[in-house]
Structures are given as C-alpha cells and as structure tokens.
Amino acid sequence: GISRMASHDFAQLLAKNLTSDLSATLGIEWSRRETWNRNYSETRVPLVPSAIIELLSHQNFTDVRYAHDPHVKFMIARSLYKSILQYVNYQHDITDYQVQPLPVNTFAAQFIDEKGCVRLTWEPTIDILEPTAHPTGYVVYTRKGARDFDNGVFVHTNEYEINIESDEQYSFKVV
C-alpha cells in the first residue's frame, strides 16, 4: 500500500546525507553516486520504505581502504541511522527529534584515596554535524570480575565516584 516514491524519497535522503556527512567528516569531497529506480522486489513492493545501498567498490583501492577503517564504518552507519531517524520522523510530522550523542572520550579512572574510592571522568564528544546530539546525562555501567555489567547508574555530570574492593577486576562503560 506504500507508493514506490516513498522508497525513492528515502533513497535520495540516504544518498544526500551520506554524501554530506562523509565529505564533512573525512575532509574530502565524497562523490555522490547515481540513485537508480530498478525493478528489485526488495524496493518495488515494500511494506516500509526501503533502499539498497551500494556505497563502496571492491575494485577501487581507496574505497577498499575506507571499507576497512572502523572510523569510516562508524560514520557510514551513523549517517544511515540519522537518515532513517529523519525520514521516520518526517513520516509522522515530527520535527523536534534528538540524535543519539556520540560516544564519550578521554575516559579516565583515578584512585582518590587508599580505601578504594575511584573517580571516573570523561568528556562528551561534540558532533559538529548534529546540533541535537548533545547528552543530557550519562549511564555508568560497572562489571566486577567475569560477571555481566550491572544495570547502570544515571548521572547528570561527567564524573562518578565508586568504591571498589581490592583484588577484584573492574570494568566500566559510560554511555
């Protein structure tokens, strides 16, 4: 029941955003490749708007280098995520959505006394492409030994203090 034009509009948005995001983050002029309207059943009779993305060529050495770079993979995935978020919100007439903030950086753990208190600190990563992608708080997850991470603690600042036991291995994750 959805027009093929919905998939066409979605594919155009994906291509436009990928081109601008990759150009800005990689510091190069990313070439926008052609958007085709072919008779693939995945996009011809969708239940939801859909697109087939062919972004990199295995016959181009520069593309191969980009395809194996974790930073580029992340930026491609993030651009696709932002386009999907934008398109879904557009479909429902929502204009005030917020993009997921980037992962924190400069994470550090510092002992602050001999009794086992540790201060965790980090900085938010500013997303120059997305003004809505700023954190309003953080969740600090703790893992003790080989167990799973706990359910986390929500904090409003970019530091957290925790008491730890000696002779135990701890892992922390901040999102």
Side-chain angles (χ1 to χ4, degrees):
I2 295 176
S3 167
R4 281 185 71 186
M5 289 310 294
S7 291
H8 179 267
D9 293 345
F10 180 53
Q12 291 285 19
L13 180 66
L14 288 167
K16 178 182 81 69
N17 288 351
L18 272 168
T19 302
S20 64
D21 287 355
L22 292 176
S23 294
T25 56
L26 298 176
I28 61 170
E29 187 175 336
W30 191 265
S31 299
R32 179 171 174 172
R33 293 172 171 103
E34 185 179 353
T35 304
W36 289 350
N37 186 10
R38 300 293 170 118
N39 193 18
Y40 298 118
S41 67
E42 297 94 331
T43 58
R44 186 184 72 242
V45 288
L47 297 175
V48 296
S50 58
I52 298 172
I53 300 164
E54 294 179 349
L55 182 66
L56 301 167
S57 169
H58 66 276
Q59 298 169 342
N60 177 319
F61 184 70
T62 303
D63 281 4
V64 171
R65 276 194 9 244
Y66 285 135
H68 289 288
D69 184 335
H71 175 70
V72 174
K73 288 179 184 181
F74 178 82
M75 295 315 299
I76 291 169
R78 184 165 173 84
S79 181
L80 295 173
Y81 149 72
K82 291 187 314 184
S83 297
I84 294 167
L85 178 69
Q86 184 179 357
Y87 190 81
V88 169
N89 281 285
Y90 168 77
Q91 284 186 308
H92 297 284
D93 293 322
I94 299 171
T95 57
D96 60 341
Y97 56 89
Q98 183 174 356
V99 173
Q100 172 74 29
L102 289 168
V104 300
N105 66 62
T106 61
F107 176 81
Q110 178 183 14
F111 288 102
I112 57 175
D113 66 23
E114 295 81 27
K115 297 177 183 168
C117 189
V118 173
R119 178 180 295 126
L120 308 174
T121 58
W122 58 89
E123 293 296 326
T125 302
I126 305 303
D127 188 342
I128 60 170
L129 302 177
E130 274 303 325
T132 67
H134 58 278
T136 56
Y138 306 91
V139 180
V140 180
Y141 296 97
T142 304
R143 177 174 60 195
K144 182 177 170 183
R147 290 182 262 179
D148 291 334
F149 279 98
D150 63 11
N151 291 328
V153 175
F154 183 80
V155 295
H156 290 284
T157 63
N158 59 342
E159 70 175 50
Y160 179 69
E161 292 182 5
I162 185 171
N163 290 316
I164 63 171
E165 300 172 17
S166 61
D167 299 329
E168 282 288 346
Q169 180 178 347
Y170 284 81
S171 300
F172 303 101
K173 179 170 51 171
V174 179
V175 296

